[in-house]
Amino acid sequence: PVCLPCTRNEDCGNDGACVAVATGSRACLPRCNPDVPVCPGRLRCVRDVALADTAVCAPVGGPCCIDADGDGRVRLPPRTATR
């Protein structure tokens, strides 16, 4: 769930980290390997201990959103119900 709001790492699944973003809120960002930096959209693989204890794909110079199909609009995945 890239860029969805979170409060802790567990909210982001095994491949994500809950990171403080520029807006002051927290969002799920995918973990990445700086040696093989593969990130979606305009996100870049960064290792910044101020952000997270691991390297993450973070928005650099832009909003935390991904236009997966390149149509100029961003659609968030549907939220799943939790109990």
Side-chain angles (χ1 to χ4, degrees), residues 1-6 8 11-13 16-19 26-30 64:
V2 177
C3 295
L4 290 182
C6 60
R8 60 187 201 271
D11 296 336
C12 303
C18 185
V19 177
R26 298 182 67 79
C28 291
L29 296 177
C64 187

Side-chain angles (χ1 to χ4, degrees), residues 1 4-20 25-29 31 51-53 79 82-83:
L4 290 182
C6 60
T7 56
R8 60 187 201 271
N9 284 335
E10 291 77 18
D11 296 336
C12 303
N14 292 335
D15 295 330
C18 185
V19 177
S25 59
R26 298 182 67 79
C28 291
L29 296 177
R31 298 177 195 270
L51 289 176
D53 60 354
R79 294 188 65 97
T82 57
R83 294 179 184 214

Side-chain angles (χ1 to χ4, degrees), residues 51-72:
L51 289 176
D53 60 354
T54 185
V56 294
C57 294
V60 177
C64 187
C65 60
I66 296 175
D67 180 8
D69 59 4
D71 68 355

